[in-house]
Amino acid sequence: YHVWPEETEELTDKLRKYLARRRRPSPLESDSGRAARPSLFDMMGRSPQVQRLFSEVARVAPTDFSVLIMGETGSGKEVVAQAIHAASRRASAPLVEVDCGAIPENLIESELFGYEKGAFTGADKARPGRFEAAGHGTVFLDEISNLSLGMQNKLLRALQERRYYRVGGRTPIELNARVIAAANMNLNAAQGPTGF
């Protein structure tokens, strides 16, 4: 999606307010417990950019497709990922957020996939990764362009096969979580293969 820079802060703020209202009981709930919540359009306005963004969120949220959100830093990619998760069938399961730029290259694979006891020095017990922690929820991989090409290929393989191995493991683990990734650059225009 693309949002003009002057609209970015306002759009992000409105999305956060919407998500906060969605999480707590609505003051408009009927006696039957069903919420009569206002639409996103009512809350955020009807500019063409907002209409396009929410039409895309509404179209992709109920699916199980992996999603790539591209936009400049500060444009609200995380808030869009939260909105997709909140509007999905997976909303009652965890949303596990991973900042791919904040985890050192030598640790990212074990963070995402987990590791078995003895897989490396200091691995005194098995540990599940972020995909296992998400269960049937969503994993949000922020700034995925920071991953090495090798790690992007491992991630692509896990997404294609819907299974992966813990570091040092021999038993495949089913990938049940949905993956939403974000990048602050156009990965389609980047040099070389990116895996996406």
Side-chain angles (χ1 to χ4, degrees):
Y1 73 96
H2 180 70
V3 179
W4 298 107
E6 60 271 10
E7 296 176 322
T8 299
E9 190 174 317
E10 179 183 353
L11 179 61
T12 302
D13 184 54
K14 287 180 178 181
L15 272 169
R16 282 194 178 110
K17 286 178 183 174
Y18 166 75
L19 289 171
R21 285 185 187 145
R22 184 176 171 92
R23 287 188 198 109
R24 62 179 183 257
S26 168
L28 303 176
E29 283 189 2
S30 67
D31 292 335
S32 66
R34 219 175 56 211
R37 294 187 175 104
S39 75
L40 289 174
F41 290 130
D42 294 336
M43 296 176 68
M44 296 186 65
R46 294 185 178 271
S47 74
Q49 293 84 4
V50 171
Q51 287 184 21
R52 191 173 76 240
L53 172 63
F54 285 110
S55 135
E56 291 174 12
V57 167
R59 188 173 57 221
V60 76
T63 73
D64 281 329
F65 294 129
S66 297
V67 176
L68 175 62
I69 304 166
M70 292 185 289
E72 296 173 9
T73 300
S75 61
K77 298 181 295 294
E78 179 180 352
V79 177
V80 171
Q82 291 169 352
I84 292 170
H85 175 73
S88 75
R89 296 182 304 228
R90 299 171 182 267
S92 62
L95 170 63
V96 176
E97 299 182 15
V98 181
D99 183 347
C100 296
I103 301 171
E105 174 65 28
N106 61 335
L107 298 178
I108 191 71
E109 184 175 3
S110 61
E111 278 294 316
L112 293 178
F113 301 135
Y115 57 83
E116 295 294 341
K117 180 179 179 179
F120 50 82
T121 304
D124 55 350
K125 62 181 178 180
R127 181 176 171 266
R130 305 286 180 96
F131 288 121
E132 282 179 82
H136 289 279
T138 303
V139 174
F140 173 52
L141 301 174
D142 197 12
E143 300 309 345
I144 196 165
S145 56
N146 288 324
L147 294 180
S148 69
L149 291 180
M151 190 60 222
Q152 287 183 33
N153 286 332
K154 289 178 183 181
L155 180 58
L156 178 62
R157 185 177 182 118
L159 289 172
Q160 288 174 333
E161 296 180 3
R162 301 305 297 171
R163 66 182 181 152
Y164 60 92
Y165 295 85
R166 286 181 177 174
V167 174
R170 295 179 185 215
T171 305
I173 298 172
E174 188 176 342
L175 175 55
N176 295 312
R178 178 187 202 170
V179 175
I180 300 176
N184 63 4
M185 64 173 67
N186 184 342
L187 297 180
N188 295 327
Q191 292 283 334
T194 62
F196 288 91

